[in-house]
Amino acid sequence: MVAHEEEYERVPNQVAVAALLTTLVESGGASLCLEEDGARPEPVVLMEQHPGETLVLDLSSVSHLLGRLQDGTSFYLTGEAQGKMLRTPLLSLTETRRAGGRFLCCSDYPAYLDVLQRREAFRAELRIGMPVAATVSVPSQDAIRGELRDLSQTGCQLELPMTASGVLATTEAPLMLAFEFPDGTYFEIPASARHRRPDAERNLLRVGFHFGAPSPEQERQVWYFVCEIERESSRYTKDHQDERQPSPLFTSPAGRSGAGEHVGRRDVKRYATPTARRLVKIAAFLDGQMLALQQGSDIDSRQLSLHADRLMDLHEEDREALLFACRCLSPEPLLVRHGVSVAVHLMDLVGGGMPRDVRKAVVASGLVHDLGKALVPQVLFKATHFEATHRQALSEHVPLVLERLGNCQWLSSSIASAVIGGINERMDGSGYPKGVTGESLNELAKASAVVDAVEALRRDRSDRPGKTAQQVYRHLLSHPHQFDPHWIKRYIDHFKALPVGALVRFSSEQLAWVLRVDERGNPTEVQMALSASAPMRDNLGNALSGNIVEKLGRPVSEVAVST
């Protein structure tokens, strides 16, 4: 190595350059910075390297810079690999192409790398047994709890529940991180989220944060924490187990449990029912899959098969318990809740008598039908007025998700096409993506459109509040030119006027969730509700069964609750 700029060391050896870049490719994270004053690093994905020839980048996250980059503006890449900060020399784009809604670009290959060796680049990792609770405060949202996994002078990595992915992706405001060490030391610092990496097996999300303009006192505190984490970590090595005193930060006062114990995982106990708690694994898969799609991956064929089977098993065990569980997933991202509910209700409506492999294809298609929305500009979902340009951009999510199903050889292409490709089409040709009319739509596509509309209308949206089942039915029946009247009637006859999962106000003024209904649609089992909010374990009362009218009075009205 040759010294360069005092704090850097230059690595010109191409074997060493390739090794460092391989680590950066495997982490999936890098940042791009333009060659201009005041430019700030923007997160991108380094996908591949061809040593001595080219780098392959996914620049979808910086599409607003593509015009300038294609015009020849130089840039450099930064990132972390092997505990070191890396920086390339100035590079230029050599090729740009759009594939599956993403911008894949090539640049020239760096002749060397600059490696930052100052203490700011040192990253102290926390070992098992070194719990540090972390909290991410998001404006207008519930705080996200997690665990600190490593810390440097400029940033950190946290383990968060997979549900944090959707929140972080749609939050532009500054975040506040808080750490609590086992001895009770509490520290706050502003930060911004950079790179995210899912761990589907553990239902967790690794998120890298960059500290934003810390004060001198905060910098001193962070460096103290870094040193103490390294000091405590060294006690776990074989050579030093008996030599070093524990760090005071990791010495818990008597009676105090580990601050970070079980932090960062979904708090499954909060979910209202046993079936809802079992649904969490399926929700976690969809949540992680959404992030994987954003990072350029295809849908995981094996995991989709596994979770479609799980959903069908839950349905066979107790269909009404599963229908209600769909209303108990409010902590999950909207696209996840919607996908699960559409899959369950579509299976329940059309699955009777179907061979298992056909029913499984319907379930799988329902689960993933909306995941392509994670690949279109998220500003679309914040618009209060939906215009033609918004509609065109949104329609791209359908072919995007169909393209990512290429590895699912077991999934019937005709069923995927009917459900995913037809769920947004309308009888009069006003739907998308192809604008086909009723004569060209098969029955499964027509049924899917009704199920999808019911589930969407029952939830709040930026331009309107959620509706009750009765309001949804009236809306569909008043639009026979868009929705097949035959399937609207079948849906109402099948799920009834007060369906399982409806929150009902009775003549006694008490609120209760419908858990089961008889053939006439009368509630036969309900769960008392302590508030008109999405069902969670802490806002539900006792379950009642038998003669509900005798116990609570007659049903007066349904209460709209966005679940």
Side-chain angles (χ1 to χ4, degrees), residues 324 327-328 330 503 511 513 529-536 538-540 559-563:
F324 179 62
R327 303 297 174 204
C328 303
S330 58
L503 180 62
L511 293 173
W513 292 94
L530 305 182
S531 63
S533 55
M536 298 297 289
D538 59 2
N539 64 14
L540 295 179
V559 178
V561 176
S562 185
T563 56

PDB file of all heavy atoms in Angstrom, residues 324 327-328 330 503 511 513 529-536 538-540 559-563:
ATOM      1  N   PHE A 324     -60.969 -14.036  10.321  1.00  0.00           N
ATOM      2  CA  PHE A 324     -60.845 -12.992  11.339  1.00  0.00           C
ATOM      3  C   PHE A 324     -59.379 -12.594  11.535  1.00  0.00           C
ATOM      4  O   PHE A 324     -59.066 -11.419  11.741  1.00  0.00           O
ATOM      5  CB  PHE A 324     -61.432 -13.454  12.673  1.00  0.00           C
ATOM      6  CG  PHE A 324     -61.313 -12.417  13.764  1.00  0.00           C
ATOM      7  CD1 PHE A 324     -61.941 -11.185  13.635  1.00  0.00           C
ATOM      8  CD2 PHE A 324     -60.555 -12.659  14.903  1.00  0.00           C
ATOM      9  CE1 PHE A 324     -61.825 -10.210  14.616  1.00  0.00           C
ATOM     10  CE2 PHE A 324     -60.429 -11.697  15.887  1.00  0.00           C
ATOM     11  CZ  PHE A 324     -61.066 -10.471  15.748  1.00  0.00           C
ATOM     12  N   ARG A 327     -57.970  -9.660   9.794  1.00  0.00           N
ATOM     13  CA  ARG A 327     -58.270  -8.321  10.306  1.00  0.00           C
ATOM     14  C   ARG A 327     -57.364  -7.954  11.484  1.00  0.00           C
ATOM     15  O   ARG A 327     -57.490  -6.862  12.037  1.00  0.00           O
ATOM     16  CB  ARG A 327     -59.736  -8.243  10.764  1.00  0.00           C
ATOM     17  CG  ARG A 327     -60.754  -8.592   9.700  1.00  0.00           C
ATOM     18  CD  ARG A 327     -60.705  -7.631   8.542  1.00  0.00           C
ATOM     19  NE  ARG A 327     -61.575  -8.035   7.451  1.00  0.00           N
ATOM     20  CZ  ARG A 327     -61.402  -7.680   6.193  1.00  0.00           C
ATOM     21  NH1 ARG A 327     -60.384  -6.908   5.860  1.00  0.00           N
ATOM     22  NH2 ARG A 327     -62.223  -8.086   5.248  1.00  0.00           N
ATOM     23  N   CYS A 328     -56.479  -8.868  11.857  1.00  0.00           N
ATOM     24  CA  CYS A 328     -55.659  -8.665  13.057  1.00  0.00           C
ATOM     25  C   CYS A 328     -54.199  -8.391  12.731  1.00  0.00           C
ATOM     26  O   CYS A 328     -53.326  -8.590  13.572  1.00  0.00           O
ATOM     27  CB  CYS A 328     -55.755  -9.900  13.964  1.00  0.00           C
ATOM     28  SG  CYS A 328     -57.435 -10.340  14.465  1.00  0.00           S
ATOM     29  N   SER A 330     -52.796  -5.420  11.710  1.00  0.00           N
ATOM     30  CA  SER A 330     -52.573  -3.981  11.531  1.00  0.00           C
ATOM     31  C   SER A 330     -51.120  -3.550  11.703  1.00  0.00           C
ATOM     32  O   SER A 330     -50.723  -2.539  11.102  1.00  0.00           O
ATOM     33  CB  SER A 330     -53.477  -3.184  12.474  1.00  0.00           C
ATOM     34  OG  SER A 330     -53.247  -3.530  13.820  1.00  0.00           O
ATOM     35  N   LEU A 503     -66.730  -5.211  12.605  1.00  0.00           N
ATOM     36  CA  LEU A 503     -66.930  -4.670  13.943  1.00  0.00           C
ATOM     37  C   LEU A 503     -68.349  -4.117  14.005  1.00  0.00           C
ATOM     38  O   LEU A 503     -68.705  -3.224  13.233  1.00  0.00           O
ATOM     39  CB  LEU A 503     -65.915  -3.567  14.237  1.00  0.00           C
ATOM     40  CG  LEU A 503     -66.034  -2.915  15.617  1.00  0.00           C
ATOM     41  CD1 LEU A 503     -65.812  -3.923  16.734  1.00  0.00           C
ATOM     42  CD2 LEU A 503     -65.047  -1.744  15.753  1.00  0.00           C
ATOM     43  N   LEU A 511     -69.723  -2.886  21.488  1.00  0.00           N
ATOM     44  CA  LEU A 511     -69.035  -3.219  20.244  1.00  0.00           C
ATOM     45  C   LEU A 511     -68.469  -4.629  20.327  1.00  0.00           C
ATOM     46  O   LEU A 511     -67.959  -5.039  21.373  1.00  0.00           O
ATOM     47  CB  LEU A 511     -67.880  -2.243  19.988  1.00  0.00           C
ATOM     48  CG  LEU A 511     -68.222  -0.783  19.682  1.00  0.00           C
ATOM     49  CD1 LEU A 511     -66.939   0.048  19.645  1.00  0.00           C
ATOM     50  CD2 LEU A 511     -68.950  -0.683  18.352  1.00  0.00           C
ATOM     51  N   TRP A 513     -66.524  -7.847  17.637  1.00  0.00           N
ATOM     52  CA  TRP A 513     -66.071  -8.357  16.342  1.00  0.00           C
ATOM     53  C   TRP A 513     -66.781  -9.661  16.027  1.00  0.00           C
ATOM     54  O   TRP A 513     -66.902 -10.530  16.887  1.00  0.00           O
ATOM     55  CB  TRP A 513     -64.565  -8.602  16.366  1.00  0.00           C
ATOM     56  CG  TRP A 513     -63.741  -7.364  16.470  1.00  0.00           C
ATOM     57  CD1 TRP A 513     -63.245  -6.789  17.613  1.00  0.00           C
ATOM     58  CD2 TRP A 513     -63.326  -6.524  15.391  1.00  0.00           C
ATOM     59  NE1 TRP A 513     -62.553  -5.653  17.313  1.00  0.00           N
ATOM     60  CE2 TRP A 513     -62.567  -5.464  15.960  1.00  0.00           C
ATOM     61  CE3 TRP A 513     -63.506  -6.563  14.009  1.00  0.00           C
ATOM     62  CZ2 TRP A 513     -62.005  -4.452  15.186  1.00  0.00           C
ATOM     63  CZ3 TRP A 513     -62.933  -5.566  13.236  1.00  0.00           C
ATOM     64  CH2 TRP A 513     -62.199  -4.525  13.814  1.00  0.00           C
ATOM     65  N   ALA A 529     -65.142  -5.834  21.885  1.00  0.00           N
ATOM     66  CA  ALA A 529     -64.115  -4.854  21.522  1.00  0.00           C
ATOM     67  C   ALA A 529     -64.116  -3.730  22.549  1.00  0.00           C
ATOM     68  O   ALA A 529     -65.174  -3.172  22.869  1.00  0.00           O
ATOM     69  CB  ALA A 529     -64.375  -4.299  20.131  1.00  0.00           C
ATOM     70  N   LEU A 530     -62.948  -3.384  23.053  1.00  0.00           N
ATOM     71  CA  LEU A 530     -62.839  -2.310  24.035  1.00  0.00           C
ATOM     72  C   LEU A 530     -62.744  -0.947  23.378  1.00  0.00           C
ATOM     73  O   LEU A 530     -62.886   0.076  24.048  1.00  0.00           O
ATOM     74  CB  LEU A 530     -61.608  -2.546  24.924  1.00  0.00           C
ATOM     75  CG  LEU A 530     -61.554  -3.911  25.632  1.00  0.00           C
ATOM     76  CD1 LEU A 530     -60.312  -4.003  26.508  1.00  0.00           C
ATOM     77  CD2 LEU A 530     -62.815  -4.149  26.456  1.00  0.00           C
ATOM     78  N   SER A 531     -62.498  -0.926  22.063  1.00  0.00           N
ATOM     79  CA  SER A 531     -62.419   0.340  21.341  1.00  0.00           C
ATOM     80  C   SER A 531     -62.669   0.086  19.861  1.00  0.00           C
ATOM     81  O   SER A 531     -62.560  -1.057  19.395  1.00  0.00           O
ATOM     82  CB  SER A 531     -61.046   0.997  21.528  1.00  0.00           C
ATOM     83  OG  SER A 531     -60.028   0.170  20.985  1.00  0.00           O
ATOM     84  N   ALA A 532     -62.999   1.157  19.134  1.00  0.00           N
ATOM     85  CA  ALA A 532     -63.245   1.034  17.690  1.00  0.00           C
ATOM     86  C   ALA A 532     -61.923   1.191  16.949  1.00  0.00           C
ATOM     87  O   ALA A 532     -61.709   2.141  16.187  1.00  0.00           O
ATOM     88  CB  ALA A 532     -64.253   2.085  17.236  1.00  0.00           C
ATOM     89  N   SER A 533     -61.028   0.251  17.178  1.00  0.00           N
ATOM     90  CA  SER A 533     -59.714   0.259  16.525  1.00  0.00           C
ATOM     91  C   SER A 533     -59.353  -1.158  16.130  1.00  0.00           C
ATOM     92  O   SER A 533     -60.006  -2.124  16.547  1.00  0.00           O
ATOM     93  CB  SER A 533     -58.651   0.842  17.469  1.00  0.00           C
ATOM     94  OG  SER A 533     -58.632   0.150  18.704  1.00  0.00           O
ATOM     95  N   ALA A 534     -58.335  -1.293  15.299  1.00  0.00           N
ATOM     96  CA  ALA A 534     -57.948  -2.604  14.785  1.00  0.00           C
ATOM     97  C   ALA A 534     -57.723  -3.580  15.928  1.00  0.00           C
ATOM     98  O   ALA A 534     -57.143  -3.220  16.959  1.00  0.00           O
ATOM     99  CB  ALA A 534     -56.681  -2.481  13.948  1.00  0.00           C
ATOM    100  N   PRO A 535     -58.188  -4.821  15.775  1.00  0.00           N
ATOM    101  CA  PRO A 535     -58.114  -5.784  16.894  1.00  0.00           C
ATOM    102  C   PRO A 535     -56.682  -6.194  17.220  1.00  0.00           C
ATOM    103  O   PRO A 535     -55.947  -6.692  16.369  1.00  0.00           O
ATOM    104  CB  PRO A 535     -58.929  -6.974  16.385  1.00  0.00           C
ATOM    105  CG  PRO A 535     -58.882  -6.878  14.897  1.00  0.00           C
ATOM    106  CD  PRO A 535     -58.808  -5.430  14.579  1.00  0.00           C
ATOM    107  N   MET A 536     -56.294  -5.951  18.461  1.00  0.00           N
ATOM    108  CA  MET A 536     -55.032  -6.420  19.015  1.00  0.00           C
ATOM    109  C   MET A 536     -55.343  -7.044  20.366  1.00  0.00           C
ATOM    110  O   MET A 536     -56.426  -6.847  20.927  1.00  0.00           O
ATOM    111  CB  MET A 536     -54.030  -5.268  19.160  1.00  0.00           C
ATOM    112  CG  MET A 536     -53.647  -4.599  17.848  1.00  0.00           C
ATOM    113  SD  MET A 536     -52.785  -5.703  16.691  1.00  0.00           S
ATOM    114  CE  MET A 536     -51.205  -5.880  17.509  1.00  0.00           C
ATOM    115  N   ASP A 538     -54.555  -6.385  23.320  1.00  0.00           N
ATOM    116  CA  ASP A 538     -54.834  -5.524  24.462  1.00  0.00           C
ATOM    117  C   ASP A 538     -56.117  -4.710  24.343  1.00  0.00           C
ATOM    118  O   ASP A 538     -56.448  -3.950  25.251  1.00  0.00           O
ATOM    119  CB  ASP A 538     -53.650  -4.585  24.719  1.00  0.00           C
ATOM    120  CG  ASP A 538     -53.335  -3.691  23.518  1.00  0.00           C
ATOM    121  OD1 ASP A 538     -54.058  -3.788  22.513  1.00  0.00           O
ATOM    122  OD2 ASP A 538     -52.376  -2.905  23.592  1.00  0.00           O
ATOM    123  N   ASN A 539     -56.847  -4.833  23.212  1.00  0.00           N
ATOM    124  CA  ASN A 539     -58.098  -4.074  23.114  1.00  0.00           C
ATOM    125  C   ASN A 539     -59.304  -4.971  22.857  1.00  0.00           C
ATOM    126  O   ASN A 539     -60.318  -4.520  22.336  1.00  0.00           O
ATOM    127  CB  ASN A 539     -57.998  -2.966  22.058  1.00  0.00           C
ATOM    128  CG  ASN A 539     -57.794  -3.501  20.646  1.00  0.00           C
ATOM    129  OD1 ASN A 539     -57.975  -4.697  20.390  1.00  0.00           O
ATOM    130  ND2 ASN A 539     -57.424  -2.626  19.728  1.00  0.00           N
ATOM    131  N   LEU A 540     -59.181  -6.250  23.222  1.00  0.00           N
ATOM    132  CA  LEU A 540     -60.281  -7.194  23.059  1.00  0.00           C
ATOM    133  C   LEU A 540     -60.754  -7.696  24.412  1.00  0.00           C
ATOM    134  O   LEU A 540     -59.957  -7.875  25.340  1.00  0.00           O
ATOM    135  CB  LEU A 540     -59.859  -8.388  22.200  1.00  0.00           C
ATOM    136  CG  LEU A 540     -59.508  -8.095  20.738  1.00  0.00           C
ATOM    137  CD1 LEU A 540     -59.089  -9.377  20.040  1.00  0.00           C
ATOM    138  CD2 LEU A 540     -60.685  -7.454  20.017  1.00  0.00           C
ATOM    139  N   VAL A 559     -69.178  -0.749  12.165  1.00  0.00           N
ATOM    140  CA  VAL A 559     -68.281   0.387  12.358  1.00  0.00           C
ATOM    141  C   VAL A 559     -67.073   0.195  11.452  1.00  0.00           C
ATOM    142  O   VAL A 559     -66.427  -0.862  11.480  1.00  0.00           O
ATOM    143  CB  VAL A 559     -67.831   0.492  13.828  1.00  0.00           C
ATOM    144  CG1 VAL A 559     -66.858   1.654  14.010  1.00  0.00           C
ATOM    145  CG2 VAL A 559     -69.039   0.650  14.746  1.00  0.00           C
ATOM    146  N   ALA A 560     -66.774   1.188  10.626  1.00  0.00           N
ATOM    147  CA  ALA A 560     -65.637   1.076   9.708  1.00  0.00           C
ATOM    148  C   ALA A 560     -64.333   1.219  10.488  1.00  0.00           C
ATOM    149  O   ALA A 560     -64.125   2.205  11.188  1.00  0.00           O
ATOM    150  CB  ALA A 560     -65.724   2.148   8.622  1.00  0.00           C
ATOM    151  N   VAL A 561     -63.481   0.222  10.379  1.00  0.00           N
ATOM    152  CA  VAL A 561     -62.154   0.236  11.008  1.00  0.00           C
ATOM    153  C   VAL A 561     -61.159  -0.231   9.968  1.00  0.00           C
ATOM    154  O   VAL A 561     -61.307  -1.302   9.390  1.00  0.00           O
ATOM    155  CB  VAL A 561     -62.091  -0.693  12.244  1.00  0.00           C
ATOM    156  CG1 VAL A 561     -60.672  -0.719  12.809  1.00  0.00           C
ATOM    157  CG2 VAL A 561     -63.074  -0.244  13.308  1.00  0.00           C
ATOM    158  N   SER A 562     -60.143   0.581   9.703  1.00  0.00           N
ATOM    159  CA  SER A 562     -59.134   0.195   8.723  1.00  0.00           C
ATOM    160  C   SER A 562     -58.199  -0.830   9.335  1.00  0.00           C
ATOM    161  O   SER A 562     -57.426  -0.528  10.243  1.00  0.00           O
ATOM    162  CB  SER A 562     -58.333   1.409   8.265  1.00  0.00           C
ATOM    163  OG  SER A 562     -57.436   1.047   7.247  1.00  0.00           O
ATOM    164  N   THR A 563     -58.285  -2.079   8.842  1.00  0.00           N
ATOM    165  CA  THR A 563     -57.451  -3.154   9.367  1.00  0.00           C
ATOM    166  C   THR A 563     -56.494  -3.648   8.309  1.00  0.00           C
ATOM    167  O   THR A 563     -55.904  -4.682   8.453  1.00  0.00           O
ATOM    168  CB  THR A 563     -58.328  -4.314   9.857  1.00  0.00           C
ATOM    169  OG1 THR A 563     -59.178  -4.745   8.777  1.00  0.00           O
ATOM    170  CG2 THR A 563     -59.188  -3.896  11.014  1.00  0.00           C
TER     171      THR A 563
END
